[in-house]
Amino acid sequence: MRKIIELQQQLMPDLTDVMKKRYNILQQVKQSDFIGRRMLAASLSMTERVLRAETDFLKAQGLLEIQPSGMRISDAGKQLLDEMEPMVKELFGLSDLEERIRRYFGLKQVWVVPGDSDTSLHTKRELGRAGCHALRKYMGTDDVVAVTGGTTLAQVANQLTSQAPLKGIRFVPARGGLGESVDYQANTIVSTMAKRTGAQYRLLHVPDHLGEEAYLSLMQEPNIREIVEVIRSARIVLHGIGDAMVMARRRKVDEAMVHAMKDEGALAEAFGFYFDRQGAVVHRMPTAGLRLEDIQAAEVVIAIAGGKSKAEAIAAVMRFGHDDVLVTDEAAALAIAEQFENE
């Protein structure tokens, strides 16, 4: 298959571009369920005139169903996407990119989805779908899975399914809450994951940002101590990655500490720890959730993060050296590859 694609790219490069364009249209319509032409054009950064010509062609092929109010993918279109999946990574040149990043950071596996989740909700959904694949691949029958919060992990939760109830699995929040939108809290995400798969879950009703005194007091509570012990026994950790300064402000870290972290070179945040460009931990806070030693002891650590804007942060956390799997998007992966090639 790879050889055929390489020949096609040499002899008919414009044909490959057309295939990519039409694949992206079908994927976006499928993800949206039902969508108008104007919204579809905006989400794909395409003019309505160009999009109209492409959707008319796809309708003529029986791949789209178009109505005055919008369009949806047909059963034939869904089948075509399923059949194309094995060749998509080769078509987009993502297989080589995955392998280069995997080798550079010494990871078990890298998944790269097409697009940039900074600018495309469709890509963010695909990131969530790939995160589901990664989790299902590594999850056993009686695992404890610790999960962080955030918009990307919420996408994973909303797409996670199981053919049979995962009664032996326990989903738990990796840390306490940030006091922001409940939809993106770790507690909400683990609850959604459990309900969609028939698994068990436990919640941690404490704030993420704790002072030393508050932390010590909370850890005296038997109920808190019991759930914390479950969290810290997690075999799998599923986490997002954020910009250090953005996450510090979301955690309401005081300005003096924010400036101190900036001076120390804090670039990335993951599971409540702050990393510099080389992957060294430059700041940590008392937490009732996962500690650094728990991350290091976990058998499988899966990072799910994308968007070109997060490339440096993702690379910093990968250099920490305790992630086994990275799920990211094309824009971030290309920027990461450019970064390590320039070093």
Side-chain angles (χ1 to χ4, degrees):
M1 184 181 293
R2 171 177 284 205
K3 189 64 177 175
I4 292 171
I5 292 173
E6 287 174 353
L7 289 170
Q8 178 179 294
Q9 289 170 336
Q10 288 179 326
L11 294 171
M12 298 172 288
D14 49 346
L15 179 59
T16 302
D17 291 339
V18 171
M19 286 178 65
K20 288 180 181 178
K21 186 192 302 179
R22 291 173 181 168
Y23 173 85
N24 282 332
I25 291 170
L26 289 173
Q27 271 285 18
Q28 180 69 69
V29 176
K30 179 185 175 185
Q31 287 283 346
S32 304
D33 191 38
F34 189 81
I35 189 170
R37 184 177 279 112
R38 181 172 296 177
M39 186 176 292
L40 180 59
S43 66
L44 294 169
S45 301
M46 195 180 293
T47 66
E48 287 190 54
R49 183 181 63 81
V50 171
L51 180 65
R52 182 184 297 274
E54 295 296 345
T55 53
D56 285 349
F57 172 84
L58 294 169
K59 178 186 177 184
Q61 298 298 310
L63 304 173
L64 284 181
E65 298 169 359
I66 301 180
Q67 302 168 11
S69 57
M71 65 192 81
R72 62 168 47 92
I73 194 168
S74 67
D75 290 340
K78 292 176 184 175
Q79 183 178 344
L80 178 67
L81 288 181
D82 289 342
E83 291 172 354
M84 282 187 71
E85 186 136 2
M87 66 177 288
V88 165
K89 286 187 182 295
E90 298 292 346
L91 183 65
F92 284 83
L94 301 182
S95 295
D96 288 339
L97 189 56
E98 288 174 338
E99 181 58 19
R100 283 158 59 202
I101 291 173
R102 189 198 67 77
R103 284 201 313 265
Y104 184 79
F105 292 115
L107 302 170
K108 286 181 182 176
Q109 189 163 9
V110 175
W111 265 275
V112 176
V113 302
D116 183 349
S117 53
D118 279 345
T119 59
S120 169
L121 180 57
H122 163 67
T123 300
K124 195 150 199 170
R125 288 183 185 134
E126 283 299 293
L127 204 56
R129 192 165 73 98
C132 292
H133 288 314
L135 180 57
R136 283 195 295 261
K137 176 176 179 178
Y138 290 98
M139 201 160 52
T141 54
D142 296 301
D143 280 337
V144 174
V145 182
V147 183
T148 66
T151 57
T152 305
L153 273 296
Q155 287 289 345
V156 177
N158 290 333
Q159 298 185 69
L160 188 63
T161 57
S162 177
Q163 293 180 338
L166 304 176
K167 294 181 179 178
I169 301 290
R170 283 178 291 173
F171 289 103
V172 294
R175 299 177 66 87
L178 289 181
E180 53 187 12
S181 172
V182 69
D183 293 341
Y184 309 133
Q185 296 278 4
N187 275 341
T188 303
I189 290 169
V190 301
S191 169
T192 301
M193 286 179 163
K195 289 170 182 175
R196 290 182 62 86
T197 59
Q200 303 172 54
Y201 67 99
R202 300 290 303 275
L203 302 180
L204 181 63
H205 296 293
V206 300
D208 185 51
H209 188 194
L210 294 170
E212 189 71 35
E213 189 175 334
Y215 168 73
L216 292 173
S217 175
L218 269 174
M219 293 305 288
Q220 300 305 311
E221 295 290 330
N223 290 340
I224 297 292
R225 198 163 58 242
E226 189 264 334
I227 177 60
V228 167
E229 286 175 1
V230 175
I231 291 169
R232 292 176 176 176
S233 72
R235 192 183 78 85
I236 298 176
V237 176
L238 191 69
H239 71 91
I241 295 172
D243 174 273
M245 295 302 107
V246 171
M247 293 304 299
R249 290 190 168 90
R250 280 173 60 187
R251 285 195 163 88
K252 297 180 172 56
V253 176
D254 65 73
E255 283 299 315
M257 182 60 72
V258 169
H259 287 302
M261 288 164 57
K262 192 178 291 186
D263 291 342
E264 291 172 332
L267 179 69
E269 185 276 344
F271 27 77
F273 297 93
Y274 295 82
F275 303 84
D276 66 14
R277 191 176 302 275
Q278 286 70 45
V281 175
V282 295
H283 182 72
R284 67 183 79 187
M285 296 178 295
T287 176
L290 289 178
R291 301 161 301 184
L292 208 56
E293 54 264 39
D294 304 317
I295 307 294
Q296 294 165 333
E299 289 186 34
V300 182
V301 182
I302 304 171
I304 308 176
K308 186 176 181 180
S309 66
K310 283 191 179 178
E312 286 190 321
I314 294 168
V317 176
M318 292 306 102
R319 289 190 179 98
F320 174 58
H322 289 283
D323 278 88
D324 302 288
V325 178
L326 171 64
V327 181
T328 190
D329 61 27
E330 182 179 12
L334 286 170
I336 291 167
E338 183 179 357
Q339 184 185 119
F340 65 65
E341 284 168 359
N342 289 336
E343 289 176 351

